[in-house]
Amino acid sequence: MDSVSLLRVTLISWPLSFEQQWMADAYVVVFAALMLPAGLLGDRFGRRLMLVTGLGIFLAGSVVGALAPDVAWVVAARAVMGVGGALVMPLALSVLPSLFGPDERSKAIGVMSAASALGMPLGPILGGWLLDHYWWGSVFLINVPMVGIGITACLLLLPETRDPASPKVDAVSTALTAAGLGALVYAIIEAPTRGWGDPLVAGFLAGAVVLLAGLVLRERRAVRPMLDMELLGHRGFLVNTLTATLVTFVLAGLLFLLPPYLQAVLGHDALGTGLRLLPMMAGLLVAARAAQPVVARFGPRLVVGCGLVVLAFAALLGSRTEVGSGYGFTALWLTVTGIGFGFAVVPAMDGALSALPADRAGSGSGLLMTLRQVGSAIGIALLGSLLAGVYRDRLDVTGLPAGAADTAGESVVAAHLVAERTGSGALAASADRAYVHGMGVVLVVCGVAALVAALLAGAFLPGTRSAGAGSSTPAMAEPEADARQ
């Protein structure tokens, strides 16, 4: 339903200006900034009500984006869609404990993870087809029927759940949360382009630290805090959330690398790029279907740890890619990536949700999704910065005018455009080698991050499912059972 991946692949065909970059990133900033208060709103006023409201806001933003007369309107529409997405994502997770028992919940999370991953290749596939046949605004209209189906399903199938005793929405804490996370994500997004030492980036990072520190201090003093610090003190929720966040960090890095490689180095269009991401989806579907019975047999610690090791193996295998490797080798390690991702993230998210008491499902799910979204932004920013640095260092621009050399250094796509205009086959070949080398370096980092997450899971995750998982009894009330595991 979300067209962020579609926009990223569509816009990657030329060097991004500030406005074009924020057509995609305006959604991410607002989305990450509002998920925590959105989860609390669902707890207090009704999760189904807020879920339908979020879908309606997302629909309105999509319509505005489709009819936007200029880039500024598109950026504004994406921000509105971010507000809707912030309501939808945590609340879609928070209703799972009330709809499914412990056994069925793992399957439901697997289906949700598979559906989310399906958007990764479907975005470029649908985007490429729509842009070939219709005007660019049609990429937003694809959301309209999907939102309509979602609202209808919520109204007909979803029971209303709420917690009238949940904390009131604190306007000051909400503002601190939104401003702090917004500043953090903004700085992370801008850092690869401007540099980490840029005054604007440094200023936003410092502002984020101050605002989030102020939020923590205020919440620690509150009688009924909006940000429940007890959640972070519970081992089951904390470790599973950190594991899911690290998996998201790795996956974001992998997906960041692939579109330029498939388009510029291998020469596929947007539609072909999307189709060639499908092997990862196939691996994920297999793992998501198999995760629940495997966890029941061997326990979450072993399954999550093995999934992370498989993910690390996929990244390290991908780091062996060369310019002449071809797509077959890429399809192989993409399939392994999907398998590792499914076995790691589905049990981790199930463990985090089962650790939540029923009356804090919305706020806890909001915290889980916020950390995953920030992990994704950090992964793209840090790994993107590493890739850009390695690419520029390895790119041979000898003999090019200064302006053309600077443009070629922006991205492998830009280098191919310069090579076409100047007739320099040597520049295109150098850009391909430089990009593939940088991709290998980033994939090694992703592999190491996955191994660190595997160690974390092996050391701290429980070996068996909690006896109270998925029950209405607050998981926070069973520290003894958690300690025994």
Side-chain angles (χ1 to χ4, degrees), residues 70-292:
D70 54 41
V71 173
W73 276 95
V74 176
V75 173
R78 293 292 295 164
V80 173
M81 292 168 69
V83 175
L87 284 167
V88 170
M89 287 303 295
L91 295 177
L93 276 177
S94 70
V95 299
L96 294 183
S98 64
L99 294 176
F100 302 97
D103 294 335
E104 294 298 321
R105 187 176 55 245
S106 294
K107 298 178 182 178
I109 292 174
V111 171
M112 286 192 64
S113 299
S116 297
L118 183 61
M120 299 169 189
L122 277 186
I125 292 171
L126 290 175
W129 186 84
L130 289 171
L131 291 172
D132 285 342
H133 294 85
Y134 303 101
W135 91 111
W136 70 269
S138 62
V139 299
F140 288 98
L141 289 183
I142 193 63
N143 294 327
V144 174
M146 301 303 295
V147 171
I149 294 172
I151 291 176
T152 302
C154 288
L155 294 176
L156 296 180
L157 304 176
L158 191 64
E160 182 62 283
T161 58
R162 62 168 59 88
D163 174 29
S166 66
K168 294 182 179 179
V169 179
D170 185 341
V172 175
S173 293
T174 300
L176 289 172
T177 302
L181 288 176
L184 176 62
V185 176
Y186 177 90
I188 290 170
I189 290 172
E190 287 295 305
T193 302
R194 296 176 176 270
W196 291 97
D198 180 81
L200 180 66
V201 173
F204 270 91
L205 285 174
V209 171
V210 171
L211 290 167
L212 294 177
L215 170 68
V216 172
L217 291 175
R218 180 178 178 84
E219 292 297 287
R220 288 179 66 89
R221 296 171 181 170
V223 177
R224 294 295 307 279
M226 186 182 78
L227 175 61
D228 196 340
M229 306 301 287
E230 290 184 12
L231 294 176
L232 297 177
H234 185 271
R235 190 184 72 173
F237 179 80
L238 177 62
V239 177
N240 278 296
T241 298
L242 290 178
T243 301
T245 300
L246 285 172
V247 172
T248 303
F249 173 93
V250 173
L251 189 66
L254 292 175
L255 293 175
F256 178 81
L257 303 171
L258 289 170
Y261 170 70
L262 293 172
Q263 286 193 301
V265 179
L266 298 187
H268 302 293
D269 59 12
L271 177 60
T273 295
L275 291 172
R276 284 165 178 79
L277 292 174
L278 288 176
M280 184 183 68
M281 181 61 196
L284 174 57
L285 286 173
V286 171
R289 183 175 180 83
Q292 189 270 337

Side-chain angles (χ1 to χ4, degrees), residues 51-68:
L51 189 55
V52 171
T53 300
L55 288 169
I57 294 172
F58 193 91
L59 175 62
S62 299
V63 173
V64 172
L67 303 176

Side-chain angles (χ1 to χ4, degrees), residues 311-379:
L311 189 59
F313 171 75
L316 296 175
L317 182 64
S319 70
R320 308 298 297 173
T321 303
E322 299 177 353
V323 174
S325 295
Y327 173 70
F329 182 69
T330 302
L332 172 64
W333 63 265
L334 274 181
T335 304
V336 179
T337 297
I339 294 172
F341 176 66
F343 277 118
V345 80
V346 172
M349 291 184 65
D350 182 36
L353 289 176
S354 66
L356 292 173
D359 59 349
R360 282 178 280 182
S363 57
S365 299
L367 179 58
L368 168 63
M369 295 305 299
T370 297
L371 291 175
R372 289 191 65 198
Q373 187 68 19
V374 172
S376 176
I378 292 174

Side-chain angles (χ1 to χ4, degrees), residues 18 38 136 178 193 290 296 301 355 366 423 445 453 457:
F18 176 84
W136 70 269
T193 302
R301 178 194 298 159
V445 173

Side-chain angles (χ1 to χ4, degrees), residues 355-443:
L356 292 173
D359 59 349
R360 282 178 280 182
S363 57
S365 299
L367 179 58
L368 168 63
M369 295 305 299
T370 297
L371 291 175
R372 289 191 65 198
Q373 187 68 19
V374 172
S376 176
I378 292 174
I380 291 172
L382 292 181
L383 299 176
S385 181
L386 173 62
L387 174 62
V390 174
Y391 168 77
R392 283 192 295 265
D393 289 343
R394 302 274 296 197
L395 182 65
D396 184 4
V397 293
T398 303
L400 286 179
D406 289 342
T407 301
E410 291 179 3
S411 69
V412 64
V413 177
H416 274 262
L417 292 175
V418 173
E420 290 177 6
R421 294 170 184 170
T422 60
S424 175
L427 174 62
S430 175
D432 289 347
R433 290 192 300 269
Y435 187 85
V436 171
H437 177 75
M439 186 172 74
V441 172
V442 171
L443 286 170

